[in-house]
Amino acid sequence: MSDVKLAPKPLDRADERVRNDDSLTGAVRLFIDRVRAGDLGILPVAVGLVVISVVFSSLNPVFLLPNNLVNLLFDCATVGVISLGIVCVLMLGEIDLSVGSMSGFASALVGVIWVNMGLPLPVAIGAALLAGMVIGFVYATLYTRLGMPSFVATLAGLLAILGMQLYILGPTGSINLPFSSPLVAFGQLLVMPAWLSHGLALIPGLVVLFGGLNTAKRRRAAGLTAIPLSLLLIKAVVLTAALQFAVWYLNLGRGVPWMFGLFVGLVVAMQYALTRTKWGRSLFAVGGNREAARRSGINVRRIYYSAFMLCSTLAALGGVLAAGRLASSSQQAGTGDVNLNAIAAAVIGGTSLFGGRGSAWAALLGIIVIQAISNGLTLLNLSSSLRYMITGAVLAIAVIVDSLARQSRATHGRG
Amino acid sequence: MSDDNPPKGELLLQLTGVSKNFGAVSALSDIELEVHAGEVVALVGDNGAGKSTLVKVLAGVHQPSAGEVRFMGKPVTLDSPAKALDLGIATVFQDLALCENLDVVSNLFLGHELSPWRLDEVQMEVRAWTLLRELAARIPSVREPVASLSGGQRQTVAIARSLLTDPKIIMLDEPTAALGVAQTAEVLNLIDRVRARGLGVIVISHNMEDVRAVADRIVVLRLGKNGGVFTPGSSNQELVAAITGASENAVSRRASRKAAEEHHE
Ligand SMILES: Nc1ncnc2c1ncn2[C@@H]1O[C@H](COP(=O)(O)OP(=O)(O)OP(=O)(O)O)[C@@H](O)[C@H]1O
Ligand SMILES: [Mg+2]
């Protein structure tokens, strides 16, 4: 024994069986262990995106041109917002199959109230969001009070809401929105000035760095281990470099769409709510073990209400954005592959269909994958029959990856 | 822990005529039970005697079919687990009721997170470590999902959780069933400490030795009915007779057989 006084062991390293993973190599090793155990995180998406870019740009170089990517981001925002709501209900192990219809109905409401009835645009948008809230409330009531499986309730809702959409649109079936209006400009034209987009792209890196430093300081003060500065710096620098490059590249074209900015803002807010608030923690708990959550004093019913209402409301918002994007409210809005794309995006991004696992980033990354595929296939002039088949296959693969990862987690004892 | 605990000996919990039916099965009928501050009541009985059901009724998980529950003198309806927790009745369930997908810290603080709009993870982690250390827990990392813990580690987490909310009564449903020697001793010590602090404790166990070591009173349940109240001084025979409902029972037969065998040698 040397008589040099050792610094007291941090609380979370007191057990001798715990490997010291605080160094850079330790972090890498931890990541590899996680992936092996089926905690894939965003890995499948990252791999998927690389594969997609390579394949499509080799088939048609237009795919990677700045302006095509700008278009891609415009398209991402509408379905992405819907997908964000899907993440909430999937987290509980439930599903909402009517988000497509909901978005179509919302877009129809905007057309009818704003254009046909001549009321101000904010009123029309407010009414659409309110309709979303009400429908989510109905689903949650059917589920929590009558025990109706969300699968069935929302399948019925899919038809009923589509019916309402067709009903309020009337025989003409389509309403054109004025091109000069702010909604259409937002959906088709408005991009951020270059300086602003570069400035905004600095924020994530700064948050990672200074937020991380702050947490590290508090953890050390409390006698816990903390992430080393080097790792924080690397994270922040890589993130900033990647974002600045992306923004620079997009600015070679039209620039970063405001609508995409709105979507990212919603994703960040949702991620915060999921990981840093009591509500988010309760959502994970109810999705993981409903009875245990109830016995911990969580108001399970209220969690279901919040998730279903948030999902339908975000679907309605997605519908409003889609109306702006297409400059019309039509019978086709929200039909076709909107529903499936929204759900597929959440699952591809890593939200489990079995509940209790997921993140808001899932919606962002997943929708980029989905839209990239759809955009690439459109550029190849493939018929919609082939496009449906390919998108279907991608969804199947995503669910298979989810199931395999789940099995792997079970055998590795990670829930 | 708060200092506004009720004075020792005050009647905390009083059950009169509590019954619980599951369809045709009456799991509990006409149960009487009293728990005082600073008292450890052991609840013993055979498998299926209704011990866990009684605990769940008091935890607000099941609603009683009949009867009255009084808490600190006032009649209360325990219509949800949240209500029971708010009143100060904390429970370690036999099936533990943990969320496997969440880590140890999240499970400990579930439903009672520090600063709900900006979770204070650092503070929660520190308190988690302090609490687990008090219980001599052998948990290598509190940031792993509970799914990866051993049975005993999970039980320790469940016990630690019941202490977090400043309860007035703690109910432990077979808290030491999966614990190692040191951890069992720590839990028994913990029960002693909690009693000294003036809390009421209800503990369920099949281990008569442990029961005798900590209990002030031993309440026997048999087939959903009160089967008598005993002191820790009562003989094993008396207790077993009350639990099985006959002085002639499997345990006594085995004992007399052993005695006879020894006699023959
Ligand atoms: N949710 C339920 N639905 C129907 N019957 C139930 C339910 N819960 C308990 N029972 C019945 O109530 C009776 C008492 O069960 P309980 O779990 O309270 O027994 P216990 O005394 O805790 O037994 P053990 O020592 O095995 O834990 C049993 O006959 C059981 O089958
Ligand atoms: Mg039991």
Side-chain angles (χ1 to χ4, degrees):
Chain A
M1 275 264 163
S2 68
D3 49 11
V4 183
K5 255 251 186 303
L6 285 173
K9 262 201 163 160
L11 278 174
D12 45 349
R13 290 288 178 269
D15 195 302
E16 61 192 49
R17 285 166 296 178
V18 179
R19 193 171 62 199
N20 212 337
D21 276 337
D22 304 326
S23 62
L24 204 56
T25 46
V28 173
R29 202 161 45 181
L30 203 62
F31 174 73
I32 294 174
D33 282 353
R34 282 249 161 92
V35 171
R36 283 231 180 101
D39 221 343
L40 299 180
I42 62 163
L43 198 67
V45 179
V47 173
L49 270 181
V50 171
V51 172
I52 289 166
S53 319
V54 170
V55 170
F56 282 124
S57 58
S58 65
L59 291 174
N60 185 344
V62 174
F63 180 75
L64 277 184
L65 290 187
N67 266 339
N68 188 49
L69 294 185
V70 171
N71 267 336
L72 187 74
L73 293 188
F74 267 111
D75 289 333
C76 281
T78 58
V79 187
V81 170
I82 303 176
S83 179
L84 201 54
I86 288 286
V87 169
C88 290
V89 288
L90 282 187
M91 200 77 106
L92 295 177
E94 299 300 327
I95 188 85
D96 186 344
L97 294 172
S98 70
V99 283
S101 300
M102 186 62 236
S103 73
F105 181 50
S107 108
L109 274 176
V110 168
V112 169
I113 296 178
W114 178 38
V115 178
N116 286 9
M117 294 167 61
L119 291 172
L121 179 60
V123 173
I125 294 179
L129 297 183
L130 190 69
M133 265 189 230
V134 170
I135 286 170
F137 185 85
V138 171
Y139 289 151
T141 307
L142 289 176
Y143 180 81
T144 58
R145 311 268 164 180
L146 303 180
M148 194 168 173
S150 59
F151 173 78
V152 183
T154 58
L155 200 58
L158 183 151
L159 279 180
I161 299 169
L162 180 60
M164 291 197 265
Q165 180 186 353
L166 300 183
Y167 179 79
I168 64 167
L169 282 173
T172 52
S174 172
I175 301 167
N176 290 325
L177 307 184
F179 260 99
S180 54
S181 65
L183 181 61
V184 175
F186 188 70
Q188 298 190 341
L189 301 171
L190 288 182
V191 293
M192 296 176 191
W195 62 267
L196 183 61
S197 54
H198 278 288
L200 288 178
L202 281 178
I203 293 179
L206 291 176
V207 168
V208 165
L209 185 60
F210 289 104
L213 280 177
N214 189 23
T215 312
K217 203 173 86 191
R218 291 188 52 216
R219 284 183 67 90
R220 283 206 190 88
L224 298 169
T225 55
I227 185 171
L229 179 65
S230 58
L231 197 62
L232 269 181
L233 268 177
I234 290 176
K235 267 191 183 172
V237 167
V238 169
L239 189 63
T240 307
L243 287 175
Q244 291 295 342
F245 172 77
V247 166
W248 166 81
Y249 192 70
L250 291 171
N251 278 325
L252 292 181
R254 283 155 66 199
V256 183
W258 270 111
M259 193 157 74
F260 188 73
L262 171 70
F263 172 44
V264 173
L266 288 174
V267 169
V268 170
M270 178 69 82
Q271 182 65 19
Y272 181 88
L274 286 178
T275 55
R276 302 294 305 276
T277 69
K278 182 173 175 172
W279 173 80
R281 195 55 53 85
S282 307
L283 208 63
F284 276 95
V286 173
N289 185 344
R290 180 180 165 165
E291 181 58 20
R294 186 172 85 94
R295 291 192 193 171
S296 311
I298 291 173
N299 188 335
V300 173
R301 196 169 270 176
R302 202 149 65 197
I303 295 296
Y304 278 103
Y305 271 95
S306 66
F308 277 111
M309 288 172 73
L310 205 54
C311 178
S312 294
T313 309
L314 284 171
L317 179 60
V320 172
L321 297 179
R325 178 93 187 109
L326 301 169
S328 78
S329 305
S330 72
Q331 291 184 342
Q332 275 73 48
T335 58
D337 49 6
V338 172
N339 227 345
L340 209 63
N341 281 353
I343 297 171
V347 176
I348 288 173
T351 302
S352 174
L353 284 169
F354 308 101
R357 178 171 282 279
S359 73
W361 303 123
L364 178 64
L365 296 166
I367 198 62
I368 292 178
V369 171
I370 290 275
Q371 287 299 343
I373 293 172
S374 135
N375 179 293
L377 294 176
T378 312
L379 287 179
L380 296 181
N381 267 328
L382 287 183
S383 66
S384 57
S385 56
L386 270 176
R387 283 175 32 203
Y388 280 141
M389 283 189 251
I390 294 177
T391 316
V394 171
L395 176 59
I397 292 172
V399 175
I400 290 170
V401 169
D402 178 32
S403 302
L404 289 180
R406 185 177 136 97
Q407 280 172 18
S408 168
R409 282 197 302 273
T411 54
H412 286 79
R414 297 184 62 95
Chain B
M1 293 268 166
S2 58
D3 298 322
D4 61 348
N5 286 327
K8 262 198 190 145
E10 191 195 334
L11 185 58
L12 283 179
L13 190 67
Q14 185 178 29
L15 277 70
T16 28
V18 168
S19 304
K20 174 70 190 172
N21 306 326
F22 294 109
V25 182
S26 54
L28 295 175
S29 40
D30 229 6
I31 297 293
E32 316 278 326
L33 181 72
E34 285 184 1
V35 182
H36 300 263
E39 180 190 38
V40 178
V41 176
L43 209 51
V44 298
D46 254 342
N47 292 131
K51 306 178 297 293
S52 298
T53 307
L54 183 57
V55 161
K56 283 182 189 162
V57 165
L58 293 176
V61 174
H62 293 321
Q63 309 319 304
S65 319
E68 191 191 44
V69 180
R70 284 170 163 270
F71 186 75
M72 305 195 62
K74 286 184 283 290
V76 287
T77 27
L78 301 164
D79 46 13
S80 73
K83 179 83 169 283
L85 285 169
D86 283 348
L87 285 175
I89 306 178
T91 314
V92 179
F93 293 97
Q94 191 169 14
D95 58 6
L96 305 182
L98 299 171
C99 287
E100 305 245 307
N101 59 329
L102 296 179
D103 64 21
V104 175
V105 178
S106 312
N107 265 292
L108 283 178
F109 284 87
L110 197 58
H112 307 93
E113 287 85 355
L114 304 182
S115 59
W117 296 106
R118 194 164 185 279
L119 296 186
D120 192 343
E121 296 287 355
V122 178
Q123 204 50 41
M124 290 201 275
E125 194 170 330
V126 170
R127 272 193 70 183
W129 279 116
T130 348
L131 202 54
L132 291 173
R133 198 181 266 176
E134 246 175 72
L135 290 172
R138 292 247 165 270
I139 296 181
S141 165
V142 292
R143 287 301 179 188
E144 289 291 307
V146 163
S148 65
L149 298 188
S150 78
Q153 290 171 332
R154 284 179 209 206
Q155 202 151 39
T156 315
V157 172
I159 294 172
R161 180 166 71 176
S162 71
L163 296 170
L164 262 179
T165 48
D166 272 353
K168 296 199 170 55
I169 288 194
I170 298 186
M171 302 192 288
L172 305 139
D173 194 346
E174 304 199 14
T176 54
L179 296 188
V181 188
Q183 288 73 26
T184 303
E186 278 314 329
V187 168
L188 297 183
N189 285 344
L190 172 92
I191 293 178
D192 284 338
R193 285 205 300 275
V194 164
R195 165 177 40 200
R197 229 158 29 198
L199 276 73
V201 181
I202 299 179
V203 55
I204 296 178
S205 175
H206 288 297
N207 184 335
M208 290 303 142
E209 219 173 290
D210 291 354
V211 165
R212 278 222 196 74
V214 291
D216 297 309
R217 261 184 321 134
I218 303 175
V219 174
V220 176
L221 278 192
R222 204 176 83 76
L223 299 175
K225 298 192 184 67
N226 278 113
V229 181
F230 295 82
T231 55
S234 319
S235 74
N236 220 13
Q237 241 161 345
E238 276 177 288
L239 274 177
V240 173
I243 290 171
T244 54
S247 47
E248 229 284 305
N249 56 53
V251 182
S252 67
R253 276 196 299 275
R254 184 178 157 84
S256 54
R257 204 186 66 224
K258 286 273 174 206
E261 278 168 10
E262 261 166 41
H263 197 73
H264 275 291
E265 276 160 18

